[in-house]
Amino acid sequence: KLLAVVNEIKAMGGEASSYHLDVTDDAGVEAFAKSLDGQTIDILINCAGDWLIENMETTTNEQLDHILDTDLRAPYIMSRSLIPNLRKSENASIINIGSIVTSMSVGGVSAYTAAKVGLKGLSGSLADELKPDKIRVVMLSPGPADTPMRDAASPGIDKSVLVMPETIAHMVYTVVSLPRGISTSDFVLFSMNWA
């Protein structure tokens, strides 16, 4: 999938390369940061994630650790590792992909909700820390999106209630295109057909 995107970018005249990385592997993240050799990074999008539909009483410690590691700890470590590269940019952004569960309570997804609400707190705190560097940190929290992960979690879901991935990408582009020194608050993106 990564190579297909790289090839698509190259076909349009851009430059691209891919790097396979498990964001929950600290040594792998460190190796990735070193491989950049001090290059400038304009945008970091922390979008790797997983989710779990499970009541708290039946969630195992291993499941909890996996969700927290993937959805909260990994963005923390990735961001910390790449801040030096982001500081070199003329207009840097960190975009953390959250979830609508940060603004509403939903039963059966307690581990996922805990991770995403934690990510919201991390985003706000990091935004304040990086304000002197003019690095914007924004959390975009989509409602249910039309992705393979959603299909697996909700087979047969009515597609009219889903946010298209292209819409999320457009919002990310809008945020990262703001002038240097201008940011926005975290926001939720959802279909008006979703109840």
Side-chain angles (χ1 to χ4, degrees), residues 8-117:
E8 184 179 348
I9 292 168
K10 288 180 177 180
M12 292 187 296
E15 294 181 28
S17 61
S18 66
Y19 189 103
H20 185 265
L21 176 64
D22 175 356
V23 295
T24 66
D25 174 21
D26 290 353
V29 172
E30 184 179 340
F32 172 64
K34 285 184 180 178
S35 78
L36 294 171
D37 196 30
Q39 294 177 52
T40 300
I41 294 179
D42 296 313
I43 306 164
L44 168 60
I45 303 173
N46 286 309
C47 62
D50 203 354
W51 100 316
L52 175 68
I53 301 175
E54 194 73 45
N55 289 326
M56 179 182 279
E57 286 184 295
T58 53
T59 298
T60 67
N61 290 348
E62 292 77 18
Q63 289 173 313
L64 175 63
D65 289 345
H66 170 72
I67 293 297
L68 292 175
D69 283 350
T70 306
D71 294 0
L72 178 57
R73 190 176 185 280
Y76 189 107
I77 303 300
M78 284 292 294
S79 298
R80 185 181 66 192
S81 299
L82 299 180
I83 285 172
N85 305 80
L86 289 155
R87 282 194 174 114
K88 296 180 177 187
S89 173
E90 291 298 315
N91 192 12
S93 299
I94 296 174
I95 306 294
N96 291 323
I97 302 299
S99 168
I100 199 165
V101 300
T102 61
S103 61
M104 61 181 292
S105 297
V106 179
V109 290
S110 57
Y112 178 76
T113 299
K116 291 300 186 179
V117 171

Side-chain angles (χ1 to χ4, degrees), residues 151-169:
D151 286 340
S154 310
I157 191 168
D158 176 5
K159 298 286 186 176
S160 73
V161 303
L162 302 179
V163 177
M164 295 297 107
E166 296 82 3
T167 302
I168 298 168

